[in-house]
Amino acid sequence: MNKVFNNATEAIDGIKDGAVIMLGGFGLCGIPENCIAALVKSKVKELTCISNNAGVDDFGIGLMLQQKQVKKMISSYVGENAEFERQLLSGELEVELIPQGTLATRCMAAGYGMPAIFTPAGVGTEVATGKETRNFNGKEYLLEYAFDADYAIVKAWKGDTDGNLIYAATARNFNPLMAMAGKITIAEVEELVPAGELDPNQIHTPGIYVHRIFKGEKYEKRIEQRTVKTPSAP
C-alpha cells in the first residue's frame, strides 16, 4: 500500500465536519504545523480536537479556533490562548480538561486496544463528577475510557515510505501515543527517506500504525515563552 502523499492538503483529504481528531505535540513543540494549516484552509468544522494544548492565538490549534472550526477541545494545558479563553467563557466552545497523565494514558489505551483504564488522578475533584470509581487495595480510582478518534495527526523528525517514524527530543511527547490511537494516522515529517534507510533500533513508531505520510515544509518551530538571562555587568 502506498502511504506517501505529496503534501498536507492531500494527506488530510477525507476529514469531514464533526470528525474527532488527535493532534500531537507538547505546547508548540512537535505539532503538525502543515496539517493544521491545511485544515484551516479546508474550512472543515464542528471538530472535536484531542491535544495536550490548544496552541496560541496565531499558531497551532489557535488558528483553527480563530476560524470557529473546533466544537470541543479535550486538553490538559490551555493557558496560552486568549481566543480559547474567550470562547470558553462565552459558551461557544465545549471544553474537557484532563490531567496530563490521564490524557496520555487514554491515548495509549486506544492504541493498545484497551477499552478503559483506572487512575487515581482526579479522585475527589470535579474531574470525577459523574464517573465510576472503584477501590483497589484501599485506594480509590476513576474509570476513564480510551479515546475513540477518527484521525491521529502527528509530526516526526524522520520517516520512511513505509511509515516508520523517529521523533527528535521533546517532540517525542504525545506524538508516539497518538500515532497508535487513530483509526487513520497521518504523519508529517521533516525528512522522508526510502524504506530501509532508518536504523530499526531508532524507530519510535512502527509503520504499521501509519496510514499516510508526507514531507512537510517551512516549519516555524515556535517557542511559547522565551526567557533570556540579562548579561552581567563587566
Side-chain angles (χ1 to χ4, degrees):
M1 184 178 78
N2 180 24
K3 300 180 180 182
V4 179
F5 287 69
N6 290 319
N7 51 51
T9 301
E10 291 185 7
I12 68 159
D13 184 53
I15 298 181
K16 305 296 185 184
D17 293 351
V20 179
I21 303 176
M22 290 180 167
L23 293 132
F26 186 82
L28 300 181
C29 179
I31 67 172
E33 298 176 30
N34 285 214
C35 284
I36 290 173
L39 286 168
V40 171
K41 290 181 180 178
S42 77
K43 301 187 185 301
V44 64
K45 59 184 185 300
E46 295 292 305
L47 299 174
T48 295
C49 292
I50 302 167
S51 176
N52 156 262
N53 66 93
V56 291
D57 288 313
D58 63 345
F59 193 64
I61 297 175
L63 296 172
M64 297 165 64
L65 288 167
Q66 284 185 348
Q67 300 301 317
K68 308 293 181 62
Q69 294 176 279
V70 182
K71 177 185 71 173
K72 182 175 182 178
M73 195 76 223
I74 300 175
S75 296
S76 58
Y77 175 71
V78 294
E80 299 291 336
N81 194 317
E83 177 61 16
F84 175 97
E85 179 183 15
R86 189 198 66 76
Q87 290 187 25
L88 169 63
L89 295 176
S90 68
E92 299 173 39
L93 179 68
E94 297 177 49
V95 177
E96 183 179 350
L97 293 177
I98 301 177
Q100 189 155 274
T102 302
L103 181 71
T105 309
R106 289 176 67 183
C107 292
M108 182 187 72
Y112 286 0
M114 298 163 52
I117 61 164
F118 281 98
T119 174
V123 171
T125 73
E126 290 186 13
V127 171
T129 302
K131 295 179 181 176
E132 177 183 341
T133 61
R134 189 172 298 185
N135 189 289
F136 293 95
N137 298 319
K139 188 172 183 177
E140 291 294 319
Y141 291 79
L142 291 182
L143 173 69
E144 297 278 10
Y145 290 99
F147 289 122
D148 184 16
D150 300 308
Y151 294 87
I153 303 178
V154 301
K155 191 261 180 180
W157 171 43
K158 286 186 179 181
D160 68 18
T161 53
D162 280 345
N164 297 299
L165 304 177
I166 298 174
Y167 309 97
T170 308
R172 186 182 174 188
N173 40 56
F174 279 87
N175 281 304
L177 296 172
M178 290 184 172
M180 297 191 299
K183 294 183 179 70
I184 296 176
T185 293
I186 303 167
E188 58 178 82
V189 297
E190 294 182 43
E191 296 182 36
L192 182 61
V193 301
E197 285 201 11
L198 299 180
D199 180 351
N201 294 306
Q202 301 300 316
I203 290 171
H204 300 127
T205 295
I208 190 68
Y209 291 112
V210 177
H211 304 86
R212 307 176 188 178
I213 189 169
F214 69 95
K215 183 181 184 302
E217 59 181 8
K218 299 178 181 178
Y219 286 107
E220 294 187 45
K221 299 184 181 181
R222 293 200 197 178
I223 297 174
E224 286 175 90
Q225 295 187 22
R226 187 189 299 272
T227 301
V228 181
K229 182 179 179 181
T230 302
S232 301

